[in-house]
């Protein structure tokens, strides 16, 4: 039963990543607008004049592209890893542990994308935390990244 729970958790991460990618593609104008709002720093008092503030369409598009790539890689890694885990669900502990590696890598990529995109770039470079509009996004990012990291820790635990 524990293995089934681990597989379902990994597949739920895959679903989050891939559904989120679909949303980012279908609603790309809104996503690009949000990224542009962060990179322009227009919602930070005096931020629009700071050195890092930019309205560059290239920077905004690269941000969108990075978000989509990390979510695709995380989602595909978790989906394929979940499939491998399913195939090894009745195998011995060592075989099942080996089957988890791709799923755990997918979780790692997903967490890296959230941390790098929101915390390092969004909060540190573009100081989202100063924005009355975008400051709350950090809580959302932590919820996503923290949940995925916790799932990875749980799934990665040994089974004796």
């Amino acid at each position: 039963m524990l293995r089934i729970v681990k597989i379902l958790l990994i597949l739920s991460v895959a679903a989050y990543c891939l559904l989120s990618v679909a949303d980012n593609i279908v609603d790309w104008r809104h996503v690009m607008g949000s990224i542009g709002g962060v990179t322009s720093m227009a919602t930070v008092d005096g931020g629009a004049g700071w050195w890092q503030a930019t309205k560059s369409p290239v920077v905004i598009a690269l941000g969108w592209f990075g978000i989509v790539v990390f979510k695709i890689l995380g989602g595909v890694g978790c989906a394929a890893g979940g499939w491998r885990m399913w195939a090894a669900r009745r195998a011995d502990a060592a075989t099942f542990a080996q089957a988890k590696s791709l799923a755990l890598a997918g979780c790692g990529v997903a967490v890296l994308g959230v941390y790098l995109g929101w915390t390092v770039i969004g909060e540190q470079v573009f100081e989202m935390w100063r924005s009355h509009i975008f400051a709350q996004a950090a809580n959302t990012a932590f919820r996503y990244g923290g949940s995925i990291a916790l799932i990875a820790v749980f799934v990665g635990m040994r089974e004796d």
Side-chain angles (χ1 to χ4, degrees), residues 98-132:
Q98 188 176 24
K100 295 189 279 187
S101 64
L102 185 57
L104 294 174
C107 286
V109 168
V111 171
L112 176 62
V114 170
Y115 186 77
L116 180 64
W118 294 66
T119 305
V120 175
I121 297 172
E123 286 199 312
Q124 290 305 305
V125 175
F126 295 108
E127 302 195 28
M128 283 173 47
W129 58 275
R130 293 181 188 262
S131 169
H132 63 283

Side-chain angles (χ1 to χ4, degrees), residues 15-64:
Y16 159 74
C17 289
L18 298 174
L19 288 170
S20 183
V21 163
D23 183 57
N24 289 163
I25 291 169
V26 170
D27 194 19
W28 68 272
R29 286 180 196 233
H30 179 259
V31 177
M32 294 283 278
S34 294
I35 295 167
V38 170
T39 62
S40 72
M41 298 180 71
T43 61
V44 174
D45 287 338
W50 295 354
W51 69 268
Q52 67 271 49
T54 182
K55 293 181 180 178
S56 167
V58 172
V59 171
I60 295 166
L62 285 172
W64 178 86

